[in-house]
Amino acid sequence: MKRSIKNVAVLGSGVMGSRIACHFAGIGVQVLLLDIQPKDTPADAPAAVKNKIVNDALAAAVKSNPSPVYTKDVVKRITTGNFTDNMKDVAKADWIIEVVVERLDIKQQVYEQVEKYRKPGTLITSNTSGIPTHLLSQGRSDDFKKHFCGTHFFNPPRYLRLLEIIPTPDTDSAVVDFLMHYGDVFLGKTTVLAKDTPAFIANRIGVFGIMAIFNSMEKMGLTIDEVDALTGPLIGRPKSATFRTADVVGIDTLVKVAKGVADNCPNDEARNIFTIPSWLETLVNNNWLGDKSGQGFFKKVKTPEGKKDIQTLNLSTLSYEPRKKPKFATVETAKPIDNLHKRLKALVSGTDKAAEFLRHFHYALFSYISFRIPEISDELYRVDDAMMAGFGWEIG
């Protein structure tokens, strides 16, 4: 079957749904963006009232920084609606993308409604980041199952290139081939074929990496500022390094993925690494979740002079302190080396605490990845592709 995508329906207008809708609109596709009605909305309420949740979410997305659209006028390609009145309109869609709350029962209720109106042959995919893909399509028709799989976008979809494609045993291979091609050519993604395992590829490895860093940090008595200085551009990672990345992603999200792996991977040889440290639990309990709550590992404060300053959390006292620029002899020696491969060799060859930390962390990471083949992927290069495109690791 020759397939083209002219109309996409996005079900769920949260942070991911609204931005996925914007990304499709940006490449010229007509988008239907749906969400629930506000609670206790009368049946005869005007559309503006019924569509308040979806309209507010889209407006917030368009105003967000970095912008999910190249030019504001592409938003005209997005039509909004609600599940009660407009689910029937998915009949016009060539591809239906579900992005509702991460609960199996709710997702399955949405699919039940979708199946009433979806035309046979229409692609139906889920942006789930944690629920096993094969569970989502249970109870659906053969045609639904044949055209269903996971399509895991990374946030923000316009900027992070990774798109994980996660088929179920029932997914037609032609559907997988189409999505791999479409993601690459039309959506501008690095499409990576992933197996239906907890956290898929990028989050499984990326969250292990973060938790392993937490583990090494505690053992060696390093501070947040020291760890971020050692795990950013110095080793080919983004400027946000480790703790700033956690603040951007959401500390609660990080904890949720880590707990998901610990709960659902009983045979993982490094399962203990995913145990949540007490100080991390405290942050979640305090609602110090990062950017979304205004403070996490870092907090913006006003100085006595009225200027804005960013302070760092002291994990021993759980108080915020002025940032300190760390100094390590190994880093001073390696930093001038432009070639990343040579710089990494120089870093792990040192004799100070920085070199010891980097050796300890990388040995754990490489060991963990080696044990994930063929569990999460049959090919090692897919892990490199996923980490470069999803987490910004320069050389995988």
Side-chain angles (χ1 to χ4, degrees):
M1 169 181 180
K2 186 158 184 176
R3 190 182 294 276
S4 64
I5 305 296
K6 294 178 181 175
N7 292 278
V8 166
V10 178
L11 311 181
S13 66
V15 170
M16 285 304 295
S18 55
R19 285 159 178 77
I20 289 171
C22 287
H23 192 62
F24 274 91
I27 66 165
V29 174
Q30 296 295 319
V31 181
L32 174 67
L33 179 62
L34 304 182
D35 212 317
I36 58 172
Q37 294 183 5
K39 201 173 179 183
D40 300 323
T41 301
D44 59 352
V49 174
K50 291 181 173 183
N51 297 341
K52 184 177 186 333
I53 291 173
V54 65
N55 288 340
D56 287 354
L58 181 58
V62 173
K63 287 178 187 172
S64 66
N65 185 27
S67 176
V69 291
Y70 186 68
T71 57
K72 294 284 195 299
D73 64 328
V74 304
V75 180
K76 293 173 185 172
R77 296 194 187 103
I78 302 175
T79 303
T80 57
N82 63 81
F83 291 158
T84 307
D85 296 331
N86 303 107
M87 189 63 87
K88 65 182 188 304
D89 298 330
V90 304
K92 301 172 189 171
D94 304 303
W95 182 356
I96 302 164
I97 305 174
E98 169 271 305
V99 205
V100 303
V101 66
E102 284 284 276
R103 271 182 51 184
L104 178 60
D105 58 336
I106 292 177
K107 289 180 184 289
Q108 288 182 329
Q109 287 168 23
V110 170
Y111 299 152
E112 190 175 348
Q113 291 301 308
V114 166
E115 190 141 47
K116 291 178 183 176
Y117 304 106
R118 165 190 168 274
K119 64 178 183 283
T122 300
L123 298 175
I124 169 79
T125 69
S126 174
N127 189 60
T128 183
S129 57
I131 299 173
T133 312
H134 67 277
L135 295 180
L136 294 170
S137 59
Q138 282 184 352
R140 302 271 58 86
S141 68
D142 289 345
D143 186 81
F144 187 107
K145 290 179 178 179
K146 182 179 175 181
H147 295 92
F148 177 83
C149 76
T151 45
H152 184 212
F153 290 81
F154 273 61
N155 188 32
R158 184 184 161 203
Y159 299 92
L160 283 185
R161 289 180 60 90
L162 180 58
L163 173 59
E164 291 177 313
I165 306 296
I166 311 102
T168 77
D170 298 312
T171 309
D172 189 335
S173 60
V175 168
V176 177
D177 292 343
F178 174 82
L179 290 170
M180 293 288 290
H181 174 76
Y182 189 90
D184 179 28
V185 175
F186 292 91
L187 293 174
K189 298 294 179 187
T190 297
T191 48
V192 174
L193 184 64
K195 292 189 176 184
D196 191 10
T197 54
F200 311 131
I201 295 177
N203 279 341
R204 181 77 174 271
I205 302 302
V207 172
F208 169 83
I210 292 173
M211 298 304 291
I213 285 170
F214 290 170
N215 188 272
S216 297
M217 170 192 179
E218 282 191 285
K219 287 179 180 175
M220 299 180 64
L222 293 169
T223 66
I224 286 175
D225 286 332
E226 287 174 328
V227 169
D228 269 10
L230 294 173
T231 56
L234 180 73
I235 61 168
R237 305 282 177 83
K239 286 182 182 177
S240 55
T242 299
F243 287 95
R244 180 75 190 107
T245 294
D247 270 6
V248 171
V249 170
I251 293 168
D252 55 335
T253 303
L254 170 65
V255 167
K256 187 178 178 182
V257 175
K259 283 183 174 177
V261 173
D263 291 344
N264 297 305
C265 300
N267 298 321
D268 190 312
E269 78 292 342
R271 188 165 168 248
N272 65 305
I273 293 290
F274 291 92
T275 303
I276 310 302
S278 58
W279 51 263
L280 192 55
E281 291 277 17
T282 300
L283 262 67
V284 175
N285 293 336
N286 287 353
N287 202 42
W288 297 355
L289 307 179
D291 289 4
K292 68 172 80 173
S293 65
Q295 68 185 94
F297 293 116
F298 300 96
K299 182 181 181 181
K300 281 184 183 176
V301 298
K302 274 194 176 180
T303 65
E305 298 81 28
K307 294 181 179 178
K308 285 184 180 177
D309 188 33
I310 297 174
Q311 293 192 343
T312 307
L313 186 67
N314 181 321
L315 293 177
S316 300
T317 63
L318 289 182
S319 59
Y320 291 90
E321 301 173 352
R323 299 177 83 172
K324 298 181 182 74
K325 192 171 183 181
K327 281 202 169 183
F328 296 105
T330 295
V331 173
E332 297 304 313
T333 302
K335 213 169 187 179
I337 302 172
D338 288 333
N339 183 288
L340 179 56
H341 297 271
K342 291 179 180 176
R343 190 191 316 141
L344 287 169
K345 284 184 179 179
L347 285 167
V348 298
S349 300
T351 56
D352 61 2
K353 190 183 275 192
E356 185 186 349
F357 166 79
L358 289 171
R359 282 195 296 270
H360 191 272
F361 161 59
H362 280 99
Y363 294 164
L365 180 67
F366 297 151
S367 171
Y368 190 73
I369 292 170
S370 70
F371 278 108
R372 302 284 73 77
I373 305 296
E375 180 192 349
I376 64 173
S377 174
D378 291 325
E379 298 87 10
L380 195 56
Y381 77 87
R382 296 192 196 278
V383 177
D384 280 334
D385 287 349
M387 299 321 295
M388 286 188 282
F391 277 77
W393 294 7
E394 190 176 325
I395 55 174

